[in-house]
Amino acid sequence: MPGAQPQPYGQPYGPQHGQPYGQQHGQPYGQPLYVAPPKPGVIPLRPLQFGEFFDGAFQTIRRNAASMVGSALIVQAASGILGGVLTVAVLPALESLQSVNRRADLDDFMGPVIGFIAAIMGVAILAALLGSVLQGAFAVPVLRSVLNRRTGFRQMWKLAARRIWPLLGVAALLTFVGLLAAAAVVGVAVLLVMAMGPAGIALVIPLWIGALVLFVWIGLKLMFAPAAIVVERVGIYDGLLRSWQLTKNSWWRILGITLVVSIMVGVIGNVVQIPVNLATEGVGTVFSPHPDAASTSSNFLVATIISTIIAVLVGSVTFAFQTSVTALIYVDLRMRREGLDVELMRLMETGADPDGVPGGPRARHTGTQPHSGSWPVPGSPTPDVPYGPRPPV
């Protein structure tokens, strides 16, 4: 081109010593040269693409298996053992159902069954509370893995210990409101059927569909409250409000990612659990070809134990994967809305707070401002030097 200075032979390409990016000798029209954002840990420091959520989640679990899978294993084992004990305890009542031939016997039978259902609901609520605590705690190793900082079991719980009560509070609040809303929907459906008869079913079905859609919509809007409570050290109300604000104009994208993760987890669980159940039934048939009441009870007990163990192992890994993806979505939303990627770059360069949680309030109040599509050069003395145009995401 006329006026362009040719590059001397043997001179290396790229920026010369002391020359900033985007102002290289011979660069046409002064356009900046794109340089990919750094990737110090499990994800690149930029808004994430679809497949990077899953890759980052797998790498996070692999690097922090003791803290994440170990913690999930403890919670899943506690829930599984309680559920298995309740199932075995109700077995005699189920066997006595064959001898029920009077109304009084039926009333005696329904007592243990109602107690069993109530106990199962209690175990489910306990599992939901513990799951919310784990979801918030797992945000610690995920955020630290973004900067390639490993997190041990003790370190994770040390960093999340002061946020356990707010996590339990937000889980209890959401569980109570959810149960109350479900009871209201069921009550309205019962009243419609009682008042209108079979014609009321035509109104009950749309009511249930609408309630389900509303439940999913609100659930996705509030799903990042545990991560915000732990990482940003906010209270229950601020955590819910923070999650609601972060998900603005991103609901459909979050739904798609969450739906794909749920399908993956369900398929993996069935692929592992179905052969185990078939093998257990086959072994029981071989050892007891003509089962009586005692052998049937023994086979049921063995099958329950084996199924519980497999479910606990598989559930620990899948729960850690789901919560890792959720935490990475939280990181992605903050990078898109607040320039968290710039903040993480500065932490990577300075090495500040190596034992803390990146993205916390200490780092947010140091004057980091959201960027407008330009990237700082790692090691540059001025943060205004462009890092190149942001690639389309």
Side-chain angles (χ1 to χ4, degrees), residues 47-65:
L48 302 180
Q49 298 179 0
F50 185 79
E52 292 171 336
F53 291 101
F54 309 108
D55 180 65
F58 280 119
Q59 291 190 46
T60 301
I61 296 173
R62 182 175 59 86
R63 300 184 184 194
N64 306 279

Side-chain angles (χ1 to χ4, degrees), residues 53 57 65 88 93-95 163 177 202 231 238 273 286 301 318 346 391:
F53 291 101
V88 173
L94 295 177
E95 292 177 348
R163 315 308 303 162
V177 173
V231 177
D238 291 334
Q273 195 73 28
V286 170
L301 178 61
T318 55
R346 293 176 179 175

Side-chain angles (χ1 to χ4, degrees), residues 23-44:
Q23 298 180 6
Q24 301 170 8
H25 188 71
Q27 184 73 17
Y29 302 105
Q31 295 179 356
L33 177 66
Y34 170 72
V35 179
K39 183 182 177 182
V42 296
I43 58 172

Side-chain angles (χ1 to χ4, degrees), residues 300-326:
F300 180 79
L301 178 61
V302 173
T304 301
I305 294 175
I306 295 177
S307 299
T308 300
I309 293 175
I310 298 300
V312 166
L313 294 176
V314 175
S316 302
V317 178
T318 55
F319 182 83
F321 175 72
Q322 282 183 297
T323 51
S324 297
V325 172
T326 301

Side-chain angles (χ1 to χ4, degrees), residues 98-149:
Q98 300 176 357
S99 61
V100 172
N101 52 17
R102 295 182 306 170
R103 178 61 181 271
D105 295 336
L106 182 61
D107 293 340
D108 294 338
F109 168 76
M110 290 304 296
V113 172
I114 294 176
F116 170 74
I117 295 175
I120 288 295
M121 290 183 61
V123 172
I125 293 175
L126 177 62
L129 294 177
L130 296 178
S132 180
V133 173
L134 280 184
Q135 182 179 346
F138 284 178
V140 174
V142 171
L143 266 295
R144 289 177 55 81
S145 295
V146 172
L147 295 182
N148 199 27
R149 299 174 180 177

